[in-house]
Amino acid sequence: MKGLRSVILVLLKEKKDIVLSIICGFIAGITAIGLFSSSGYLISQAALVPPIYTLMVLVAVVKMLGIISALSRYGERYYSHRGTFTMLSNLRVSFYEKLEPLAPTIFGKYRSGDLLSRIVGDVETLQNYFLRVFYPPIVIVLVFLVTIFFTAFFSVEAAVIIFIGLLLTTFIVPALFGLRQRKVDQKVRERRGQLSTDVTEFLYGFRDLKIYQQVNNKEKDLLQSSNNYLEEQERESIHQLFSESVNTFVSLFISVTVLAVGAYLVTVGELDGIFLAMLVMVSLTVFENTTAMAAYPSHLQDSRQAAVRLDTVVNDEEYQQAQNNVETIKQGIAPSIEFQHVNFSFPGETRHTLKDISFRLPAGTKTAIVGPSGSGKSTIMQLLLKMYDINDGDIHYNHQSTSRLSQESIWGNSNVVLQYNHFFYGTIKENLELAKDGLSNVEMENVLRKVQLDHLTLDAQVLEKGENLSGGEKQRLAIARAMLRKAPFWLLDEPTSSVDALTESQLYESLFNIAKEDTMILISHRLTGLEKMDQIIVIEQGLIVESGTYEELMNGKGYFYQMKEIEQSVFMGQ
Amino acid sequence: MNKLKEMMMEQKSKLVLLIILAILSGLAIIGQGYLFVIIVDRIFLKGYSFTEIMPIAVGLLAVLLTRTLFNFLSGRTGIKMASTVKGKLRKTLLNKFSNNPLQASLEGQSGQKVSIMMDTVDEIDSYFSSYIPQVIQSSIIPIMLLAVIFMEHWTTGVIILITAPFIPIFMMIIGFNTKDKSEEQLDKMAAFSGTFLDTLQGLTTLKLFGRSEQQKEKIKKSSLDFRDATMEVLKVAFSNSLALEFISMLSIGLVALEVAIRMIIFQDVTFFTGFLMLILAPEFYTKLKDLGSAFHTGRTSMGAAKKLEDELAEMGQTIEWGEEELPHQEAPVIELNHAGFSYGSDTFSLKDINLMIQPYEQVAIIGKTGSGKSTLLNMIAGLVALTEGELKINGKLRPQLSEKSWFDNLSYISQDPYLFSGTIADNIAIGSKERTSREEIINAAKKAGIATLIDSLEKGYDTPIGEAGRGLSGGEKQRIAIARAFLTRPSIILFDEPTTGLDLQTEQILQTSIKELGKHSTIITVAHRLHTIKNADKILLLDDGKLIAKGPHADLLKTSETYRNMVNVQQGGAAL
């Protein structure tokens, strides 16, 4: 059961449903056998012309057993499915719970289409775990044991044969087929994952595929993966059907053996002929349940692989961060920030993204970090948000080291605008409400006006990833969200790169108004509008080149000055 | 549903095979019943010796073997049918998705479409792999059984004839109900996929806002909704089989009672006949019950089929293309006459655009955010169908052009280029049609100013980059896209804010590259930067979906006040 441990743990939360399923399953199985054996006995009795009341009693028993059997079968199905689906829901949530702390680092490794196929497909697969793997063998073995016990009263030989049949149909035949099934199954899942990834990529990258006329190629690839998936699916189904057929035949063969042995015992006088029909009926009925066992190994294998795959996503050690983050920062107060000789390289990369970075930002000051793209500006912000652990040095918030601070307390105190901000399928209002609880419509409308998005109503629809908004609109919506949050520490990563210049300068004005008392870091590649900043840090290739106020840097005629020169000359049309 | 029948009829030979197999199975079932009864009867009452019944037992085994074999073959045929159909459906869906204009791929959550392609199509499976074989078996075998029962003991036949019709009636009553429910369940499944993908992609945002806990609740809720919907469907299915169980139980009881009474009181029925009835009657009801459960899965498949049909019926405007070829590597004249496009009745639209772009002109489209710049670019690119007016290329209407020849001549660098899973080299080479040498790729990367960065990576050009280019910054993604354009050497280049997020130095590299591209191409740029704008031969100023000014920089400074304001701010308020 290796790999299934986490699933079993989740499953065992639904104890009541498990127990009820087993009880109902057992009653249904045993009464069905009772029903058919008593009708076999009934007909044999009838042949001997017994008194009418014997017959009436038997008929009544047959009827009662039939009704109990049908009802408990219903109960078994109901409870087992309810348990299963509650378990699935718990599984999804527990998967999300485990995944959540690993974001955003984990997204570099797994493509979200693949994640989707994992969570939806693999979790769906696990529904078979309880339904077909966990409890049915328990029920089958219980029913068999009682049946064998009952049969032994009439014929020990028949009981032994049925026992051998149990071993064959429940353990040996399924195990034999299970060995080969493994390979087939694994392929089906792989191919399904591949197809799902291809489909996701096709839909998300459609525009670029179209422009580069790759739609047809991608379509071919996709059809190929679709065919591969179908082929494997078909192979799996046929293999399963075949093993079911073999198992059915084995169980029928056992019944014929019971009949033959019974017949022999009757002829030698060791068994009363009146029980022969009954024994045949018992054997035929008890083996009806074992047909399903043919599929057992494949379900077990399915479940195990699904569980393992789900586990590998969330238990990847590479992404487990040491969590000794017990301290929190004071909320609602503009923090001071200090970088002390910080070195950093991304996991799996040898190149240092940041080298020996040191700077100090007093509380309530406004700082711009400028530099070419890829120089490490955004990384500074990611480290400030504790999205990665630093290699050397230390980062302090109000003299508290981030290594001991919890991520949540840092985030709770920050207004963050990323380069790419996610917007959820829903309305503008729903997306703004992420900022804070208890926002009034008026507040939200005011902020929309401030970022010049008043052409959007709060009820306007936002498509997935904000696809129906332009780049500039998305950025302004992200700024609006940050404004609503009203935390005292602002982290803005190129917040207006897609906004036109006129709007940009107005946005900055609103931002500075709102953030008067707050600490602010603005990451920018544009050099306009930086005159008001308290400090400008220029960074290139992971190193701080220079820093100071706008005037100081301009007077120093260093790197910043040169960049500004280029900017000016370009703007002036040379 | 009709679609399913249509697809079934396309596989007539397999249907015939299923019918033959069903008849053979029926014969095996009857033979099996007879042989069982003969053995018990001869041993129990007739006093035969064991050796005398041995050949019959062997015969019984042979019959059982053929019965399992026929069942296997029938199931196998069904599985094959299902495979064929699923393959066809995926192909049709794919065709639909790929022929649809850009707009359609933005509407609705892509997660839902993935779910339709994967899960909904898979749900069709059971219709062919279990429903159809079962329906065929259940309509042939019970009739054969009934015929034998009538021959042997007609009163049992009468009892069965009276009770049996209740089964299909119940099935119909319950089945119709299930159909709606199963559609509902599929909807929930799709909604669940969508929410989950959206949540995953927005997890960083959620965490920064401290909202991941709430999102967990949302997942839990949609997951439990999914469970409840599924349970609704299943409950119906279970009570369906409960009802069928009761009916068959009652009927078998009646059969047994009647036979027993005849045997004891009237003594006009032999043990042989009685036992045979007792063995054949359950087979009869089992086949009908099997039909019941198959009926249920069949219904679920029909729900899925309906959903697929709806998806296929949801046709957006398709973009038409013709046969006319464009001259290769020769920039055309582009002309828009009263052209317009609107996303929908109440949303944004672009109206009455008139303009003419000469070959090798450098055009800058400017305007406030949301004024329609990107839409204009999409219109010119042929990525959306005009809702009014016309677009002419070299005097010919755009829909007359061949799609291939148009896109061969066109390159488009969007705001948010999609990077496909694969290596950096693969991603750059996606722009060219023929096999591209590594040398050409490196060359293109150099021109796009990204070669240094790629060289600094451990695996260089073979570095894998993930979905949506995770791991690359925005500027880097765009430079990859620009490198793509360098490979194709198109005669028209469309840039949608090409320098967004890039620093000045890289921008300078690009300026040079673009200038070089411009020697052989018409370049239409959505621009925010004044230097791009000033160098343009023609500036198109958009405001609220209308073209309010066009002309070179010097002209617009004189004629347009809006333009003058924009220039002022761009230069940090410096006087001109």
Side-chain angles (χ1 to χ4, degrees):
Chain A
M1 290 289 163
K2 200 172 151 266
L4 283 166
R5 221 173 60 88
S6 51
V7 179
I8 293 174
L9 284 179
V10 175
L11 176 65
L12 288 179
K13 283 187 199 158
E14 304 304 317
K15 278 199 191 76
K16 195 181 123 204
D17 282 337
I18 297 177
V19 172
L20 283 173
S21 310
I22 292 177
I23 293 176
C24 289
F26 174 70
I27 295 177
I30 209 72
T31 45
I33 293 169
L35 166 69
F36 281 98
S37 55
S38 54
S39 52
Y41 182 67
L42 166 78
I43 210 80
S44 304
Q45 273 288 354
L48 300 180
V49 197
I52 192 78
Y53 66 84
T54 318
L55 195 72
M56 295 317 281
V57 168
L58 274 171
V59 168
V61 167
V62 169
K63 280 272 161 323
M64 198 186 65
L65 288 172
I67 288 167
I68 295 175
S69 173
L71 281 177
S72 42
R73 185 71 70 200
Y74 177 86
E76 179 201 356
R77 285 176 177 156
Y78 182 80
Y79 290 119
S80 60
H81 282 81
R82 196 181 64 178
T84 296
F85 285 104
T86 319
M87 179 197 85
L88 287 186
S89 161
N90 294 341
L91 264 180
R92 284 178 193 122
V93 175
S94 92
F95 181 81
Y96 176 78
E97 266 171 354
K98 287 182 196 155
L99 182 75
E100 190 254 3
L102 306 178
T105 340
I106 198 163
F107 292 126
K109 187 167 174 190
Y110 293 103
R111 287 176 271 151
S112 56
D114 195 29
L115 270 181
L116 176 79
S117 107
R118 268 171 206 243
I119 187 70
V120 178
D122 288 346
V123 169
E124 291 299 307
T125 305
L126 284 174
Q127 70 175 297
N128 286 327
Y129 177 66
F130 179 60
L131 281 182
R132 307 196 201 284
V133 175
F134 188 80
Y135 90 91
I138 301 178
V139 170
I140 287 182
V141 170
L142 281 178
V143 168
F144 259 96
L145 290 180
V146 173
T147 309
I148 290 168
F149 183 69
F150 172 77
T151 317
F153 277 106
F154 302 94
S155 154
V156 177
E157 291 83 350
V160 170
I161 294 169
I162 291 177
F163 180 69
I164 293 170
L166 166 72
L167 292 181
L168 276 175
T169 54
T170 311
F171 300 103
I172 296 170
V173 174
L176 285 178
F177 279 100
L179 287 179
R180 227 194 79 197
Q181 186 79 21
R182 248 176 223 210
K183 274 188 224 152
V184 187
D185 274 354
Q186 193 176 353
K187 272 195 188 153
V188 172
R189 229 179 329 275
E190 271 166 22
R191 303 245 156 119
R192 184 187 162 86
Q194 179 62 44
L195 178 60
S196 173
T197 308
D198 278 354
V199 171
T200 308
E201 194 152 86
F202 183 82
L203 291 170
Y204 280 117
F206 187 78
R207 178 173 58 193
D208 286 17
L209 287 171
K210 184 88 185 160
I211 290 155
Y212 291 110
Q213 298 182 69
Q214 298 294 313
V215 170
N216 288 339
N217 283 344
K218 194 77 199 170
E219 214 176 316
K220 261 183 228 146
D221 287 354
L222 215 158
L223 282 179
Q224 188 56 47
S225 347
S226 160
N227 284 339
N228 291 343
Y229 175 47
L230 279 180
E231 240 170 60
E232 287 304 325
Q233 239 182 355
E234 190 180 300
R235 192 172 305 168
E236 185 195 34
S237 307
I238 290 178
H239 180 76
Q240 190 150 325
L241 183 67
F242 182 65
S243 63
E244 265 172 32
S245 303
V246 170
N247 218 13
T248 311
F249 181 69
V250 170
S251 64
L252 288 171
F253 180 80
I254 294 287
S255 297
V256 174
T257 316
V258 168
L259 175 63
V261 170
Y264 174 73
L265 291 175
V266 171
T267 51
V268 298
E270 278 180 33
L271 179 72
D272 190 343
I274 202 164
F275 298 123
L276 187 57
M278 184 187 77
L279 284 182
V280 171
M281 291 306 263
V282 164
S283 168
L284 280 175
T285 320
V286 77
F287 283 105
E288 254 171 30
N289 299 313
T290 60
T291 318
M293 284 305 289
Y296 183 86
S298 92
H299 287 306
L300 175 64
Q301 185 62 11
D302 270 357
S303 310
R304 185 184 288 151
Q305 278 182 345
V308 167
R309 273 169 53 122
L310 287 175
D311 269 353
T312 43
V313 178
V314 288
N315 289 341
D316 206 324
E317 275 162 31
E318 215 178 300
Y319 293 101
Q320 299 285 17
Q321 293 181 348
Q323 300 287 331
N324 46 350
N325 38 27
V326 279
E327 292 178 25
T328 56
I329 50 172
K330 269 192 194 156
Q331 303 289 303
I333 293 172
S336 65
I337 306 282
E338 192 172 359
F339 267 58
Q340 297 172 341
H341 308 289
V342 171
N343 281 310
F344 176 74
S345 51
F346 281 99
E349 270 184 39
T350 44
R351 179 175 66 127
H352 271 291
T353 310
L354 293 177
K355 287 165 237 162
D356 195 30
I357 299 283
S358 297
F359 59 80
R360 226 182 88 74
L361 319 177
T365 58
K366 318 278 178 286
T367 306
I369 300 177
V370 298
S373 74
S375 59
K377 302 185 300 269
S378 300
T379 313
I380 290 183
M381 169 159 151
Q382 287 171 331
L383 295 184
L384 271 170
L385 289 170
K386 222 189 156 190
M387 288 181 176
Y388 297 95
D389 287 335
I390 50 179
N391 304 83
D392 295 303
D394 211 346
I395 303 172
H396 282 182
Y397 272 86
N398 301 328
H399 312 295
Q400 281 174 291
S401 166
T402 47
S403 61
R404 287 193 302 277
L405 286 171
S406 76
Q407 287 177 323
E408 287 74 17
S409 85
I410 297 175
W411 299 341
N413 208 36
S414 315
N415 298 324
V416 183
V417 178
L418 301 168
Q419 274 188 35
Y420 294 103
N421 298 281
H422 189 85
F423 295 98
F424 294 91
Y425 186 87
T427 61
I428 296 277
K429 188 176 165 178
E430 282 165 6
N431 275 290
L432 286 177
E433 276 172 341
L434 280 180
K436 208 160 87 175
D437 289 322
L439 290 168
S440 72
N441 283 358
V442 181
E443 264 178 284
M444 287 188 261
E445 275 159 5
N446 278 341
V447 167
L448 281 183
R449 211 165 10 253
K450 271 184 199 146
V451 296
Q452 302 186 28
L453 282 179
D454 34 359
H455 60 280
L456 295 173
T457 61
L458 286 180
D459 297 325
Q461 219 201 0
V462 176
L463 294 185
E464 177 186 14
K465 286 165 120 187
E467 284 273 17
N468 58 337
L469 301 172
S470 74
E473 283 174 323
K474 277 190 265 189
Q475 288 188 328
R476 282 181 287 161
L477 197 56
I479 293 174
R481 204 155 62 175
M483 283 177 167
L484 284 167
R485 193 157 158 81
K486 293 192 179 132
F489 179 42
W490 293 76
L491 269 168
L492 310 169
D493 190 359
E494 311 241 4
T496 53
S497 56
S498 299
V499 175
D500 60 275
L502 187 65
T503 317
E504 182 186 46
S505 81
Q506 289 162 350
L507 275 176
Y508 277 165
E509 202 160 306
S510 310
L511 267 174
F512 281 120
N513 260 330
I514 291 176
K516 229 176 240 160
E517 310 292 324
D518 304 339
T519 309
M520 179 191 281
I521 295 180
L522 169 72
I523 289 167
S524 171
H525 68 280
R526 276 192 226 178
L527 306 178
T528 46
L530 300 182
E531 293 83 351
K532 288 180 200 153
M533 304 303 287
D534 298 308
Q535 189 179 193
I536 297 168
I537 296 172
V538 184
I539 173 166
E540 198 205 45
Q541 304 213 356
L543 284 166
I544 294 185
V545 189
E546 57 181 353
S547 62
T549 63
Y550 181 81
E551 266 180 29
E552 282 165 11
L553 293 178
M554 289 303 280
N555 292 337
K557 301 203 190 263
Y559 191 93
F560 182 80
Y561 177 80
Q562 285 170 25
M563 280 171 75
K564 193 72 187 167
E565 280 286 282
I566 297 170
E567 191 178 79
Q568 290 286 351
S569 69
V570 171
F571 282 174
M572 295 306 288
Q574 290 159 355
Chain B
M1 193 171 150
N2 291 329
K3 182 117 194 148
L4 288 181
K5 283 205 180 120
E6 237 170 68
M7 298 190 116
M8 179 181 79
M9 292 320 281
E10 278 167 19
Q11 308 194 49
K12 271 210 181 91
S13 60
K14 284 191 179 137
L15 280 179
V16 172
L17 183 62
L18 282 177
I19 291 172
I20 295 171
L21 285 170
I23 294 172
L24 292 173
S25 291
L27 289 176
I29 290 172
I30 292 165
Q32 171 198 336
Y34 267 107
L35 293 175
F36 258 119
V37 173
I38 288 171
I39 294 174
V40 174
D41 184 46
R42 289 192 179 169
I43 294 288
F44 172 39
L45 293 175
K46 307 250 164 75
Y48 276 65
S49 76
F50 181 65
T51 41
E52 279 172 301
I53 58 126
M54 264 319 273
I56 309 176
V58 172
L60 177 59
L61 265 187
V63 168
L64 290 175
L65 186 63
T66 50
R67 183 183 173 179
T68 1
L69 181 70
F70 294 144
N71 252 339
F72 171 73
L73 289 177
S74 162
R76 191 170 172 274
T77 313
I79 290 169
K80 296 254 179 206
M81 280 174 92
S83 284
T84 315
V85 167
K86 284 190 292 179
K88 264 190 199 159
L89 280 174
R90 285 223 172 86
K91 204 168 170 181
T92 320
L93 274 175
L94 188 62
N95 248 324
K96 195 236 159 176
F97 289 147
S98 67
N99 287 330
N100 243 20
L102 181 64
Q103 194 55 29
S105 71
L106 300 184
E107 274 165 19
Q109 301 181 335
S110 299
Q112 289 188 354
K113 297 223 159 113
V114 176
S115 162
I116 283 177
M117 198 74 161
M118 303 297 301
D119 305 315
T120 313
V121 172
D122 274 342
E123 294 236 15
I124 297 287
D125 188 292
S126 56
Y127 184 85
F128 293 94
S129 64
S130 71
Y131 179 68
I132 289 184
Q134 200 60 60
V135 166
I136 291 175
Q137 292 210 344
S138 295
S139 33
I140 292 174
I141 297 176
I143 292 174
M144 294 172 68
L145 289 171
L146 202 58
V148 174
I149 289 169
F150 261 106
M151 270 163 24
E152 289 287 342
H153 185 62
W154 65 271
T155 37
T156 300
V158 171
I159 292 172
I160 289 175
L161 264 191
I162 292 168
T163 54
F166 284 106
I167 290 178
I169 290 170
F170 261 83
M171 273 178 345
M172 274 203 289
I173 294 170
I174 299 162
F176 285 129
N177 215 339
T178 318
K179 197 185 165 203
D180 296 338
K181 292 248 173 74
S182 68
E183 270 164 39
E184 198 182 299
Q185 198 240 9
L186 279 176
D187 277 343
K188 296 235 169 165
M189 170 108 150
F192 176 71
S193 294
T195 320
F196 201 77
L197 184 61
D198 206 17
T199 308
L200 284 184
Q201 286 168 331
L203 202 47
T204 310
T205 302
L206 286 171
K207 286 182 80 179
L208 289 175
F209 284 101
R211 294 290 164 162
S212 48
E213 196 61 27
Q214 285 176 0
Q215 204 64 24
K216 193 176 92 191
E217 287 308 309
K218 218 169 152 185
I219 288 178
K220 194 169 185 174
K221 192 179 171 301
S222 67
S223 189
L224 285 178
D225 281 353
F226 182 51
R227 175 197 71 177
D228 292 340
T230 313
M231 281 313 289
E232 282 301 305
V233 176
L234 291 177
K235 239 201 273 182
V236 174
F238 298 159
S239 39
N240 182 352
S241 53
L242 180 66
L244 297 184
E245 201 109 358
F246 275 142
I247 295 173
S248 67
M249 206 77 73
L250 189 79
S251 317
I252 295 171
L254 277 177
V255 168
L257 187 66
E258 192 265 343
V259 169
I261 289 174
R262 292 285 285 267
M263 281 168 75
I264 297 168
I265 299 173
F266 300 99
Q267 300 193 5
D268 58 350
V269 170
T270 60
F271 171 75
F272 180 92
T273 315
F275 194 29
L276 185 65
M277 290 305 109
L278 211 58
I279 286 209
L280 290 185
E283 293 276 6
F284 178 89
Y285 288 105
T286 306
K287 282 290 160 211
L288 284 195
K289 274 192 288 178
D290 284 351
L291 180 63
S293 49
F295 201 68
H296 169 70
T297 43
R299 279 291 183 201
T300 316
S301 291
M302 286 174 209
K306 175 83 179 21
K307 210 172 158 70
L308 285 174
E309 260 176 67
D310 287 350
E311 179 65 39
L312 289 171
E314 229 178 67
M315 290 304 273
Q317 324 129 280
T318 37
I319 297 183
E320 285 166 33
W321 295 98
E323 300 294 326
E324 301 269 353
E325 297 287 324
L326 270 184
H328 193 54
Q329 297 200 324
E330 199 178 294
V333 181
I334 299 167
E335 195 183 346
L336 281 170
N337 292 323
H338 306 289
F341 175 78
S342 112
Y343 283 113
S345 49
D346 54 318
T347 44
F348 175 80
S349 67
L350 210 55
K351 286 180 282 294
D352 199 27
I353 306 291
N354 293 295
L355 57 91
M356 172 93 90
I357 297 169
Q358 298 300 335
Y360 307 110
E361 251 186 337
Q362 313 290 301
V363 181
I365 305 173
I366 60 169
K368 287 174 88 175
T369 326
S371 56
K373 300 182 298 264
S374 306
T375 309
L376 180 56
L377 216 55
N378 282 336
M379 273 166 61
I380 295 174
L383 286 172
V384 294
L386 298 187
T387 42
E388 59 184 63
E390 55 186 26
L391 166 61
K392 281 183 173 171
I393 311 295
N394 280 345
K396 286 170 196 144
L397 286 172
R398 207 270 301 131
Q400 292 173 353
L401 296 178
S402 106
E403 182 176 8
K404 183 179 181 319
S405 118
W406 172 246
F407 281 118
D408 275 348
N409 280 294
L410 182 90
S411 202
Y412 185 122
I413 291 142
S414 58
Q415 279 184 52
D416 187 18
Y418 192 91
L419 298 187
F420 298 90
S421 54
T423 64
I424 291 184
D426 293 342
N427 263 289
I428 294 177
I430 198 178
S432 63
K433 266 119 300 213
E434 292 89 36
R435 285 192 72 82
T436 319
S437 71
R438 179 52 63 95
E439 203 178 315
E440 286 171 291
I441 291 173
I442 294 174
N443 222 359
K446 271 186 193 148
K447 284 179 185 158
I450 196 167
T452 333
L453 177 104
I454 298 173
D455 287 335
S456 78
L457 298 171
E458 208 177 309
K459 290 184 189 161
Y461 286 83
D462 298 314
T463 309
I465 40 183
E467 182 191 37
R470 281 202 184 86
L472 287 189
S473 80
E476 287 156 2
K477 263 163 71 173
Q478 278 192 319
R479 277 182 279 170
I480 296 261
I482 287 162
R484 288 174 182 169
F486 269 109
L487 273 179
T488 49
R489 290 275 166 193
S491 61
I492 307 162
I493 295 176
L494 306 175
F495 276 110
D496 192 355
E497 306 186 23
T499 54
T500 295
L502 302 185
D503 62 283
L504 285 170
Q505 292 178 348
T506 316
E507 208 169 297
Q508 282 225 310
I509 301 172
L510 292 179
Q511 287 298 311
T512 332
S513 316
I514 290 163
K515 209 175 258 176
E516 197 198 317
L517 281 172
K519 285 180 200 156
H520 313 284
S521 320
T522 301
I523 298 189
I524 305 170
T525 309
V526 166
H528 285 140
R529 303 300 174 81
L530 203 54
H531 56 81
T532 321
I533 299 165
K534 277 186 177 173
N535 290 334
D537 301 316
K538 189 180 276 164
I539 297 161
L540 307 171
L541 179 54
L542 286 175
D543 189 37
D544 197 20
K546 286 184 211 76
L547 184 58
I548 57 166
K550 56 184 167 189
H553 175 68
D555 289 6
L556 289 192
L557 275 182
K558 283 177 214 143
T559 56
S560 169
E561 202 195 328
T562 323
Y563 185 72
R564 256 195 317 272
N565 281 338
M566 287 180 78
V567 172
N568 252 322
V569 179
Q570 177 78 39
Q571 296 191 314
L576 282 164

